[in-house]
Structures are given as structure tokens and as C-alpha cells.
Amino acid sequence: MDSAALSFGAVSSSFFCNSRNPKFSCVSSNPKPASPPIVRCSQSENPHLNSWYPLKPISGTAFSCTAVTSHHTNTSGSGNLTASTAAAAATTRAKLQLLIQEFQSLTVPLDRVKRLLHYAELLRPLGDSLKSNDSRVPGCTAQVWLHVELDDNNKLRFLADSDSEITKGFCACLVWVLDGATPEEVLAVKTEDLAALSVVGLNRKASGYSSSRANTWHNVLMSMQKRTKALVAEREGRPRGEPFPSLIVSAEGIQAKGSYAEAQARFLLPDEVKIQELVNFLEEKKIGVVAHFYMDPEVQGVLTAAQKLWPHIHISDSLVMADSAVKMAKAGCKFITVLGVDFMSENVRAILDQAGFPEVGVYRMSDERIGCSLADAAASPAYMDYLAAAAASVSSPSLHVVYINTSLETKAYTHEVVPTITCTSSNVVQTILQAFSEVPDLNVWYGPDTYMGANIMELFRQMTAMSDEEIAEIHPKHNRNSIKSLIPRLHYFQDGTCIVHHLFGHEVVGKINEMYCDAFLTAHFEVPGEMFSLAMEAKRRGMGVVGSTQNILDFIKERLQEALDRNVDDHLQFVLGTESGMVTSIVAAVRKLLGSVKSHDRAKVSVEIVFPVSSESITTTPSSSPGEAGDFLKFPVIPGVASGEGCSLHGGCASCPYMKMNSLESLLKVCRSLPHDKENISAYEAGRFSLQTPNGKLIADVGCEPILHMRHFQVHVANSTSILRFDNFQVINNAICAFYRLPSNCQRS
């Protein structure tokens, strides 16, 4: 015969009839006629083709073989890809390649959809007893159920079903490829291998990554692999290890799992007396509060509850804190209390002065210095030496992109050495790309966060493998050639890290891969490269976000709202790849969304926030037993700064010890002392910079300029979420041209 007549239907009366487990039996309540004969290649130049194939022939593909027909030995309808036939079947890799070839041969989008619908018809439905929340596949728009077993021959048996016919077609293909495979074969398949299986017309781009439905390929694979690992560990008698601590939030309440989560949850429902005491002070004395997401959980719990009674309380990332302070001053607040590290109170003070509110007092929450490892790195001699190379460059202009988590003094001094613009984790990618698009031969010097700099570089390297159309979605003035050309001109500081995000290293990433590969993964842009790559992979399949604390919060809210809109029982699991103080705002947002749905017609939806706490990042207490160091969940864990609880001796903290210096007691002390007992809290006041830069200008004035450049940038951003396209603006170009005394036409034409 000219081509192999390899019919999907010929062997697909069931995918799952080759297991001894009765759950996989193919007895149907509606018996069908015996399956048609299978076509087998008895001779072939390609040994992988000497098998039965549940795929339609590819037009124009010829096989040199003699066709031999054989019938299913089991006439009851359990005709099959059995273990014996699997021995003669193609390898998992070859089956996947054949599936890819088949889809690529269907150039008309509608034909691919029809093929999926046909395969969906051939997939036997899963029994209702196996359709549970535990068998659900996370991250799919439709409901998908997956059941996995490891048979006596060490082969994986997969059952799958969905309430969407197209999604069921996806499942049918994956089950055919992997059912009967060894654990090694299942775990060897990568999500990138499925990129060619896009169904154009279901997703916005041919890459297959844009649509949650197209991402079904990847999310079902992740669940298959996670459950494979668990079954193998169980068979080998290996403990899988304790799960990370987590908080589960539902309409019924909050459940803490693990000591660390219990410590966080203790303050999510604060004392009403403390709330009212604080609100009374704030109202009486017209005090506004701006606080960072990473606050101590006790403080955040009280502030979150107090927001309902006093409007001038704002909890956010560092970008918005100063803006909120200005709004509070305009609304009549006489004092602003800043719950954060010192560079945040410095910025609030300077921006209020710039906005015309020098009379509004600004107060920190400690009489001691509240430091920041990143701000300290940028204030070091090593950082100025790093920028000296930029200043020495005369052949091409340079731009210093400095992270907002630095002091006003640093911003001022560096701005006089190299033109400087401030950035945040939300807009750093856009800022750098815009700078390169505006100024020819520009060199960009980013700092001080080493991990973020490395992650930006890795992101740009990944972009070189994208199409020009995909790159244009990120920035309209860039393409593959421009991205390749800018990489050698991007520099980043090599010695600055956040002690919190340093925590998310190899140990944590390994455990996430092992136990949480099918969960939603969130990561701050400051995390180490391993965690960044993991989160970016999750992001590509619609299961992750990389960005700022606000981006993380928005992502969780969006996924929850989607689940509520589907109105089916669901459990959403999020790995929190940033400081654990975020949990207070997350829980508040989740409870608000859950409470917005009427109880009588509400599906049971819960959200689990997982704290990926390194086993190094714990503190033993007197009640801890010696010799238990291998099991970190047996230790009581107390977030806070005293004695460095939650911090590793090797670097990295489960919660920021600097942020935890902002206590509720300090806030109440400041409130009690204002306005008549200011001397008692003089050390708490955020002072103004009276010092001058080497060029004789006030530090406060010069240090504000990079921030104002960023604010101008933000006005022109079309969307403030991470890595999205934005409108063109002139501020970077103008600043660089003025600094280097270049003509106004130095802008790229």
C-alpha cells in the first residue's frame, strides 16, 4: 500500500483497557460493535513505525511496509494498546513527534479543531467516582479530571476527562502519547515539546501560549508528571517530604497548615479594641498611614481592618506610597506615618516637599535605623566604582536605571555621575527597552539588584527566540535584531541582593518542582535565576506571574475571579514567591471576592497560599527538640526581627527583619505623641536632607529628579502591569541629550 492506513479510530475504542486495575476496565453500559481491525507495519525501514498507531495518516507521507491486519483479541470492547502491544509500539518520543507532525499537517485552523473534537469522541468518559476536587487539573478554563496509576509492570496508566469537548480532545492526545509509558518517559517530556501542538484559532498567537484553553496541553502534562513522581516515591518507599506551610481561605474561614502559617494567621483577625484605638487617634489628629506590603502581620491585620473606618490608610508596594501620601495631604492630613524602611520615608518626605506640603510631618516607626540590603548595596563604594565605568564611557551615551529601593542620597549622587531614572519591578523592562529604542548606541547600567539584573538579561535572551510579532507585543519598536544588539550594551551590578528574595534558591525550587509543579506560581522580579525561570515557564502556560508585589496581588485576584465566574467547585493553589507579609493583603482581597458572591448560588471555591520557606530559614525555640533539624515544620516559627527569626545564617529570610521593625506599638506611640509631644518622638521624624551634592545642589532636589523622570514615564505607560506594551515618551531621550550636551536630534529616528 502507498501509505500506512493508520486510523485513530481503529485502536481507540479505549485508551485504558490495558490495566489490571478494575478502574481502568472498558465495560460500557452501551456496548458498541467490535473495533475494526488495526493496521500494523510488519516491515519498515524505520523501526519505530513497526507498531499500531492511533493517528490519521499524514498526506504525502509514505511508509515502506507490508500492511498486515489484525483484530482485537478481546471482543468485549477492551481492544487495546496493551502492555504486550506497547512493547512493539513506538517510543513515547516518537509518538509525540507523530502527533506533532499530524497537527502541523493540518494547516487550516478549523481542521485542527475538528480533529480534536473527533479524538474527544473516542475518549471514554471517566466514572463519576473519579471526578473529584483531588483529581482536578489546575489552571484549565474547563474542568479537567485526571486519574493516574502505576501498574505492576512499572508503566503509567492515565484516565482523563473534561466537560469541554475541545479540552477532552487535548486530553485524548496526551493520554495516547503517555499511557503505558515508563515514569522516566513521562518525566522526560517537556512543556516546550508541546509548543508545536497549538490549535490556531483557539489562541491569539500561533505559539500556543496565549490562550488558557491552548495551555491545557501544558497544565495536564504538569499534573501527569506531578502524580507520576508521587506514585514512584510511594512505590519506592521514599517519603516525599513535608509540604510547605500554607493558608487556605474559603467562605467558611481560614485554615493554617504548618507552624509558619499559624504564626501568620494569628493576626489576620485582629483585636477590635486595638483597631478602634488606632482609628480614634488617626481621626482625631488627622494622621495618614502609608505602609508597605511586607509589614509585620500584626500591624497589617489591624491596618487592613482599620481601612474600613478611616480612609487615609494605604498599603501598597513602594512605588505608590509617596503618591498616596500626597493625596492624604491634599485631603487635610497633618501628619503621615510611614511603615517601611528608611528610603521609603525619605522618598515620602521629599515628594511631599516637591508637591508643596512642607508643613506635613512625616514619621518613621523606629528610633533606630531601618535599613535595606539593596539600599545598602547601592550606597557602597563598590556601586560607585561600577558606575565609574559608565561615566568613563565617551564613545557612547549611558543611562543609569536605578531600582526604587534605594536611598534619596544614592539617587542624587548617581544622577550627577550618569543620567539616572528610577524604576520599579513593574516597569523596569519597559524602561530599559524604551531607552534603547530612543537613543542610538546607548549603554544601560542597571542596579543594584543582581538577581533582577540577571533576570532581565535572561528575559531578553529568551526574547531573541521569539518572532518579531511577539516582540512587538512587548515593545512596538523592537524586533529580534534590536534585542540581540542591545544585550551586549546592558550591564547590571554584580553584588546586590534582597535578603528576602535570596531565600528562593535551589532547595526551594527543587521542592516546588517536586510537589507544586501544577500550582500557580508567583515570583517577584528580585528572586534568583532558578526561581525566575520556573515562574517564567509557568507564566507562559498561564499559570504564573513575574513582577512586583502589586502584580502578584492582581494575578491572584484575577485567577480567583475567573474561578468564581465559572461557578464550579475549585481549589486554587498559589506559591508565594515573595516576602510572606504579602499574605495579609492577599487574604483580605480573597475574602472580599469570596464575600461578593451570594451564598445561595455560590460554588465552593478556596484559595491556598503556599509559603515556600527554606528549611534554613527557621528559628528553634526552647520547646524544640534537638535532632529534629531535618523536619522544619516541627519547629515553632515566629516571624519578626528579634533574634533574626525566620532568617537563614546563609542569607535569606522568610520575612524581612527590617520591615518587621515597624511594630503596632511604635505606630501607637507616634500617634499618642502627636502633635504636642514631638520631642518624645524626634528620632522617629523623617528629616530633610540639608547636605549638598558635589555639584553644590541639595540632595533632596537632585535625588527627586530620577523619581520624577519615572513618574513622567508612568503617565505614558499604556498599562502598568509587568511586561506590556506602552506609548512612546521623550523623557529618557531628553535627559540623556541634556547630560551629554548632545543635539536635540540625538533621538533615534
PDB file of all heavy atoms in Angstrom, residues 610-632:
ATOM      1  N   VAL A 610       0.689  29.247  49.533  1.00  0.00           N
ATOM      2  CA  VAL A 610       1.786  28.399  49.983  1.00  0.00           C
ATOM      3  C   VAL A 610       3.022  29.265  50.236  1.00  0.00           C
ATOM      4  O   VAL A 610       3.426  30.057  49.387  1.00  0.00           O
ATOM      5  CB  VAL A 610       2.106  27.320  48.928  1.00  0.00           C
ATOM      6  CG1 VAL A 610       3.299  26.470  49.371  1.00  0.00           C
ATOM      7  CG2 VAL A 610       0.887  26.449  48.672  1.00  0.00           C
ATOM      8  N   PHE A 611       3.623  29.107  51.421  1.00  0.00           N
ATOM      9  CA  PHE A 611       4.843  29.831  51.773  1.00  0.00           C
ATOM     10  C   PHE A 611       6.044  28.924  51.515  1.00  0.00           C
ATOM     11  O   PHE A 611       6.282  27.992  52.289  1.00  0.00           O
ATOM     12  CB  PHE A 611       4.832  30.245  53.249  1.00  0.00           C
ATOM     13  CG  PHE A 611       3.659  31.081  53.645  1.00  0.00           C
ATOM     14  CD1 PHE A 611       2.563  30.520  54.286  1.00  0.00           C
ATOM     15  CD2 PHE A 611       3.641  32.440  53.388  1.00  0.00           C
ATOM     16  CE1 PHE A 611       1.481  31.289  54.660  1.00  0.00           C
ATOM     17  CE2 PHE A 611       2.562  33.222  53.751  1.00  0.00           C
ATOM     18  CZ  PHE A 611       1.474  32.650  54.393  1.00  0.00           C
ATOM     19  N   PRO A 612       6.810  29.171  50.464  1.00  0.00           N
ATOM     20  CA  PRO A 612       7.962  28.305  50.187  1.00  0.00           C
ATOM     21  C   PRO A 612       9.142  28.652  51.094  1.00  0.00           C
ATOM     22  O   PRO A 612      10.127  29.265  50.682  1.00  0.00           O
ATOM     23  CB  PRO A 612       8.269  28.597  48.712  1.00  0.00           C
ATOM     24  CG  PRO A 612       7.816  29.992  48.509  1.00  0.00           C
ATOM     25  CD  PRO A 612       6.631  30.200  49.431  1.00  0.00           C
ATOM     26  N   VAL A 613       9.048  28.250  52.354  1.00  0.00           N
ATOM     27  CA  VAL A 613      10.038  28.613  53.364  1.00  0.00           C
ATOM     28  C   VAL A 613      11.176  27.607  53.340  1.00  0.00           C
ATOM     29  O   VAL A 613      10.958  26.405  53.509  1.00  0.00           O
ATOM     30  CB  VAL A 613       9.397  28.643  54.763  1.00  0.00           C
ATOM     31  CG1 VAL A 613      10.403  29.089  55.803  1.00  0.00           C
ATOM     32  CG2 VAL A 613       8.191  29.568  54.768  1.00  0.00           C
ATOM     33  N   SER A 614      12.387  28.075  53.154  1.00  0.00           N
ATOM     34  CA  SER A 614      13.551  27.204  53.190  1.00  0.00           C
ATOM     35  C   SER A 614      13.725  26.614  54.573  1.00  0.00           C
ATOM     36  O   SER A 614      13.454  27.263  55.586  1.00  0.00           O
ATOM     37  CB  SER A 614      14.812  27.996  52.809  1.00  0.00           C
ATOM     38  OG  SER A 614      15.973  27.253  53.066  1.00  0.00           O
ATOM     39  N   SER A 615      14.197  25.355  54.635  1.00  0.00           N
ATOM     40  CA  SER A 615      14.418  24.734  55.934  1.00  0.00           C
ATOM     41  C   SER A 615      15.519  25.436  56.718  1.00  0.00           C
ATOM     42  O   SER A 615      15.627  25.281  57.926  1.00  0.00           O
ATOM     43  CB  SER A 615      14.780  23.254  55.754  1.00  0.00           C
ATOM     44  OG  SER A 615      15.950  23.116  54.968  1.00  0.00           O
ATOM     45  N   GLU A 616      16.345  26.232  56.017  1.00  0.00           N
ATOM     46  CA  GLU A 616      17.364  27.017  56.720  1.00  0.00           C
ATOM     47  C   GLU A 616      16.743  28.192  57.466  1.00  0.00           C
ATOM     48  O   GLU A 616      17.293  28.683  58.437  1.00  0.00           O
ATOM     49  CB  GLU A 616      18.389  27.572  55.723  1.00  0.00           C
ATOM     50  CG  GLU A 616      19.205  26.515  55.002  1.00  0.00           C
ATOM     51  CD  GLU A 616      20.108  27.153  53.967  1.00  0.00           C
ATOM     52  OE1 GLU A 616      19.833  28.313  53.570  1.00  0.00           O
ATOM     53  OE2 GLU A 616      21.080  26.520  53.539  1.00  0.00           O
ATOM     54  N   SER A 617      15.600  28.644  56.962  1.00  0.00           N
ATOM     55  CA  SER A 617      15.043  29.899  57.443  1.00  0.00           C
ATOM     56  C   SER A 617      14.051  29.689  58.575  1.00  0.00           C
ATOM     57  O   SER A 617      12.891  30.058  58.484  1.00  0.00           O
ATOM     58  CB  SER A 617      14.386  30.646  56.287  1.00  0.00           C
ATOM     59  OG  SER A 617      15.322  30.891  55.290  1.00  0.00           O
ATOM     60  N   ILE A 618      14.532  29.063  59.645  1.00  0.00           N
ATOM     61  CA  ILE A 618      13.696  28.819  60.810  1.00  0.00           C
ATOM     62  C   ILE A 618      14.494  29.134  62.051  1.00  0.00           C
ATOM     63  O   ILE A 618      15.719  29.220  62.024  1.00  0.00           O
ATOM     64  CB  ILE A 618      13.215  27.356  60.878  1.00  0.00           C
ATOM     65  CG1 ILE A 618      14.425  26.424  60.880  1.00  0.00           C
ATOM     66  CG2 ILE A 618      12.305  27.025  59.721  1.00  0.00           C
ATOM     67  CD1 ILE A 618      14.093  25.022  61.250  1.00  0.00           C
ATOM     68  N   THR A 619      13.812  29.309  63.134  1.00  0.00           N
ATOM     69  CA  THR A 619      14.463  29.562  64.410  1.00  0.00           C
ATOM     70  C   THR A 619      13.907  28.596  65.439  1.00  0.00           C
ATOM     71  O   THR A 619      12.702  28.484  65.597  1.00  0.00           O
ATOM     72  CB  THR A 619      14.200  31.012  64.876  1.00  0.00           C
ATOM     73  OG1 THR A 619      14.772  31.891  63.908  1.00  0.00           O
ATOM     74  CG2 THR A 619      14.834  31.262  66.225  1.00  0.00           C
ATOM     75  N   THR A 620      14.793  27.887  66.093  1.00  0.00           N
ATOM     76  CA  THR A 620      14.325  26.979  67.136  1.00  0.00           C
ATOM     77  C   THR A 620      14.007  27.766  68.387  1.00  0.00           C
ATOM     78  O   THR A 620      14.578  28.816  68.649  1.00  0.00           O
ATOM     79  CB  THR A 620      15.406  25.934  67.456  1.00  0.00           C
ATOM     80  OG1 THR A 620      16.575  26.598  67.924  1.00  0.00           O
ATOM     81  CG2 THR A 620      15.746  25.108  66.236  1.00  0.00           C
ATOM     82  N   THR A 621      13.072  27.249  69.150  1.00  0.00           N
ATOM     83  CA  THR A 621      12.709  27.852  70.421  1.00  0.00           C
ATOM     84  C   THR A 621      13.022  26.851  71.520  1.00  0.00           C
ATOM     85  O   THR A 621      13.318  25.681  71.240  1.00  0.00           O
ATOM     86  CB  THR A 621      11.200  28.179  70.445  1.00  0.00           C
ATOM     87  OG1 THR A 621      10.468  26.952  70.424  1.00  0.00           O
ATOM     88  CG2 THR A 621      10.807  29.031  69.265  1.00  0.00           C
ATOM     89  N   PRO A 622      13.003  27.258  72.777  1.00  0.00           N
ATOM     90  CA  PRO A 622      13.335  26.325  73.849  1.00  0.00           C
ATOM     91  C   PRO A 622      12.513  25.054  73.838  1.00  0.00           C
ATOM     92  O   PRO A 622      12.945  24.031  74.339  1.00  0.00           O
ATOM     93  CB  PRO A 622      13.059  27.153  75.111  1.00  0.00           C
ATOM     94  CG  PRO A 622      13.286  28.556  74.685  1.00  0.00           C
ATOM     95  CD  PRO A 622      12.798  28.619  73.267  1.00  0.00           C
ATOM     96  N   SER A 623      11.304  25.099  73.262  1.00  0.00           N
ATOM     97  CA  SER A 623      10.455  23.911  73.262  1.00  0.00           C
ATOM     98  C   SER A 623      10.806  22.938  72.152  1.00  0.00           C
ATOM     99  O   SER A 623      10.284  21.838  72.095  1.00  0.00           O
ATOM    100  CB  SER A 623       8.983  24.318  73.114  1.00  0.00           C
ATOM    101  OG  SER A 623       8.792  24.973  71.878  1.00  0.00           O
ATOM    102  N   SER A 624      11.717  23.352  71.249  1.00  0.00           N
ATOM    103  CA  SER A 624      12.086  22.479  70.146  1.00  0.00           C
ATOM    104  C   SER A 624      12.998  21.373  70.634  1.00  0.00           C
ATOM    105  O   SER A 624      13.856  21.588  71.484  1.00  0.00           O
ATOM    106  CB  SER A 624      12.795  23.286  69.052  1.00  0.00           C
ATOM    107  OG  SER A 624      11.967  24.324  68.592  1.00  0.00           O
ATOM    108  N   SER A 625      12.843  20.220  70.076  1.00  0.00           N
ATOM    109  CA  SER A 625      13.673  19.097  70.467  1.00  0.00           C
ATOM    110  C   SER A 625      14.918  19.052  69.603  1.00  0.00           C
ATOM    111  O   SER A 625      14.843  19.229  68.390  1.00  0.00           O
ATOM    112  CB  SER A 625      12.898  17.785  70.305  1.00  0.00           C
ATOM    113  OG  SER A 625      11.724  17.816  71.076  1.00  0.00           O
ATOM    114  N   PRO A 626      16.095  18.801  70.178  1.00  0.00           N
ATOM    115  CA  PRO A 626      17.309  18.682  69.371  1.00  0.00           C
ATOM    116  C   PRO A 626      17.234  17.469  68.462  1.00  0.00           C
ATOM    117  O   PRO A 626      16.575  16.477  68.766  1.00  0.00           O
ATOM    118  CB  PRO A 626      18.405  18.523  70.436  1.00  0.00           C
ATOM    119  CG  PRO A 626      17.706  17.956  71.632  1.00  0.00           C
ATOM    120  CD  PRO A 626      16.346  18.565  71.621  1.00  0.00           C
ATOM    121  N   GLY A 627      17.935  17.572  67.337  1.00  0.00           N
ATOM    122  CA  GLY A 627      17.957  16.440  66.423  1.00  0.00           C
ATOM    123  C   GLY A 627      16.827  16.425  65.426  1.00  0.00           C
ATOM    124  O   GLY A 627      16.711  15.496  64.639  1.00  0.00           O
ATOM    125  N   GLU A 628      15.982  17.453  65.428  1.00  0.00           N
ATOM    126  CA  GLU A 628      14.842  17.486  64.503  1.00  0.00           C
ATOM    127  C   GLU A 628      15.090  18.423  63.326  1.00  0.00           C
ATOM    128  O   GLU A 628      14.182  18.822  62.652  1.00  0.00           O
ATOM    129  CB  GLU A 628      13.576  17.931  65.235  1.00  0.00           C
ATOM    130  CG  GLU A 628      13.079  16.923  66.264  1.00  0.00           C
ATOM    131  CD  GLU A 628      11.817  17.416  66.948  1.00  0.00           C
ATOM    132  OE1 GLU A 628      11.623  18.645  66.991  1.00  0.00           O
ATOM    133  OE2 GLU A 628      11.042  16.592  67.434  1.00  0.00           O
ATOM    134  N   ALA A 629      16.344  18.755  63.103  1.00  0.00           N
ATOM    135  CA  ALA A 629      16.646  19.777  62.098  1.00  0.00           C
ATOM    136  C   ALA A 629      16.210  19.384  60.700  1.00  0.00           C
ATOM    137  O   ALA A 629      16.023  20.229  59.851  1.00  0.00           O
ATOM    138  CB  ALA A 629      18.158  20.062  62.095  1.00  0.00           C
ATOM    139  N   GLY A 630      16.036  18.102  60.424  1.00  0.00           N
ATOM    140  CA  GLY A 630      15.633  17.693  59.089  1.00  0.00           C
ATOM    141  C   GLY A 630      14.178  17.967  58.790  1.00  0.00           C
ATOM    142  O   GLY A 630      13.758  17.929  57.660  1.00  0.00           O
ATOM    143  N   ASP A 631      13.384  18.232  59.799  1.00  0.00           N
ATOM    144  CA  ASP A 631      11.955  18.445  59.585  1.00  0.00           C
ATOM    145  C   ASP A 631      11.588  19.830  60.094  1.00  0.00           C
ATOM    146  O   ASP A 631      11.275  20.008  61.256  1.00  0.00           O
ATOM    147  CB  ASP A 631      11.160  17.363  60.320  1.00  0.00           C
ATOM    148  CG  ASP A 631       9.669  17.436  59.987  1.00  0.00           C
ATOM    149  OD1 ASP A 631       9.247  18.393  59.308  1.00  0.00           O
ATOM    150  OD2 ASP A 631       8.955  16.533  60.415  1.00  0.00           O
ATOM    151  N   PHE A 632      11.632  20.827  59.186  1.00  0.00           N
ATOM    152  CA  PHE A 632      11.494  22.205  59.659  1.00  0.00           C
ATOM    153  C   PHE A 632      10.100  22.511  60.173  1.00  0.00           C
ATOM    154  O   PHE A 632       9.906  23.432  60.945  1.00  0.00           O
ATOM    155  CB  PHE A 632      11.905  23.211  58.568  1.00  0.00           C
ATOM    156  CG  PHE A 632      10.971  23.286  57.410  1.00  0.00           C
ATOM    157  CD1 PHE A 632       9.852  24.097  57.451  1.00  0.00           C
ATOM    158  CD2 PHE A 632      11.234  22.577  56.262  1.00  0.00           C
ATOM    159  CE1 PHE A 632       9.010  24.192  56.380  1.00  0.00           C
ATOM    160  CE2 PHE A 632      10.381  22.661  55.179  1.00  0.00           C
ATOM    161  CZ  PHE A 632       9.276  23.468  55.242  1.00  0.00           C
TER     162      PHE A 632
END
